[in-house]
Amino acid sequence: MREVITEDRRTLAVEEWGDPAGTPVVYLHGSPMSRLARYPDESLFHELGVRLITFDRPGFGCSTPRPGRRVVDAADDVAAIADALGLDRFPVFGVSGGGPHAMAFAALFPERVTRLGTLASLAPRDADGLDWTAGMNEGNRRSAAAALAGREAVGEHLARVDTTDLPPMPAIEQAVFARPEIGAMIGPAFDEAVRPGLDGWADDVTALFGTEWGFDPAGITVPVRLWHGGLDTLVPPAHGEWLAARIRTATLIRQPDAGHGGHFDATPAMLAWLLDTSPLP
């Protein structure tokens, strides 16, 4: 683990995976997750020549909390990490709750992003024309209701959640997490996320489920690929469709038979696309 100190003297915990001499790719984890979350078979990174860079969002794992943070604030944190690692332009991608945070960096620092990918990403809570919780599972609907009531309500809501294990998941997601290689990765990644407490999770829920992002996805100008599973009830596919309709540089990949956890199987193709330097059609 490497520690990056921000201008406001916070610590960001950073991890690297794969080929140290490979193409740097910055990955933004889902919620509640940590810098230990990534595609579970590291041989993929070596095969593609990827130097995967992950980090704990504020309040998760070993990163300092940032009370009141919004999604847009992730942009400066990614920039601080890139500066510390000597990165100029690079691809960035995020999964689920990490998708909006990856979008924030692409929106604010387009000159530093070659390509942007998201897998099962949320749309903004104030998305015009989107019934935000339609088709969403009960657990996330409760989180969304708490987030609209404010940070304190989110903290009270999460205090009732059992953090000794992953939150309850629909059957289609349980089947994915039951794969040995995924279970061996995601359990420690979750444990590390909540090890210091629930502040990071509560801040993520508040920022993602109840607060304006602080930027407009329609302003993203870099090449974008969005992936979404048609059976996703954690982040319903309408979220991906809304984003694709508003980001003019975006292509949406729909996988009708996949749930939220289908993002693991979609990651190899996403990484290959992120590394592709050929001109876009």
Side-chain angles (χ1 to χ4, degrees), residues 155-178:
E156 293 172 355
H157 165 65
L158 293 181
R160 297 189 290 270
V161 175
D162 180 7
T163 58
T164 61
D165 201 355
L166 292 167
M169 294 285 176
I172 192 172
E173 313 303 347
Q174 292 179 25
V176 174
F177 294 147

Side-chain angles (χ1 to χ4, degrees), residues 113-117 220-225 249-251 273-274 280:
V113 178
T114 56
R115 292 188 173 193
L116 164 67
I220 295 174
T221 57
V222 305
V224 179
R225 175 168 290 196
T249 55
T251 298
W273 179 82
L274 288 169
L280 296 171

Side-chain angles (χ1 to χ4, degrees), residues 18-246:
D19 183 355
T23 301
V25 178
V26 174
Y27 170 75
L28 290 100
H29 62 73
S31 184
M33 280 290 135
S34 67
R35 70 189 185 281
L36 304 184
R38 76 279 182 196
Y39 187 75
D41 183 357
E42 196 169 344
S43 68
L44 174 68
F45 308 142
H46 291 278
E47 176 186 335
L48 295 176
V50 168
R51 174 190 173 195
L52 190 75
I53 298 160
T54 65
F55 71 100
D56 294 331
R57 276 197 295 282
F60 287 120
C62 294
S63 287
T64 308
R66 186 176 186 178
R69 63 178 167 90
R70 295 190 298 164
V71 170
V72 69
D73 295 324
D76 287 337
D77 285 351
V78 174
I81 291 168
D83 289 345
L85 299 182
L87 309 182
D88 183 14
R89 298 182 70 240
F90 49 91
V92 60
F93 77 118
V95 165
S96 189
H101 294 90
M103 286 185 239
F105 183 68
L108 270 67
F109 293 91
E111 72 284 357
R112 303 192 72 167
V113 178
T114 56
R115 292 188 173 193
L116 164 67
T118 73
L119 297 148
S121 177
L122 289 158
R125 183 62 194 263
D126 59 347
D128 183 38
L130 176 66
D131 187 347
W132 204 84
T133 58
M136 189 174 282
N137 74 313
E138 184 60 27
N140 277 0
R141 289 172 71 96
R142 288 196 297 267
S143 293
L148 288 181
R151 172 63 169 75
E152 184 177 350
V154 172
E156 293 172 355
H157 165 65
L158 293 181
R160 297 189 290 270
V161 175
D162 180 7
T163 58
T164 61
D165 201 355
L166 292 167
M169 294 285 176
I172 192 172
E173 313 303 347
Q174 292 179 25
V176 174
F177 294 147
R179 299 180 194 174
E181 71 280 9
I182 292 178
M185 177 279 295
I186 209 163
F190 172 76
D191 291 344
E192 174 63 7
V194 299
R195 177 185 51 75
L198 300 180
D199 281 341
W201 192 358
D203 290 340
D204 246 25
V205 168
T206 304
L208 291 165
F209 285 55
T211 308
E212 293 182 2
W213 285 1
F215 70 96
D216 185 353
I220 295 174
T221 57
V222 305
V224 179
R225 175 168 290 196
L226 314 170
W227 176 94
H228 223 109
L231 302 179
D232 191 345
T233 60
L234 300 181
V235 181
H239 286 238
E241 293 164 2
W242 188 93
L243 290 166
R246 280 151 182 80

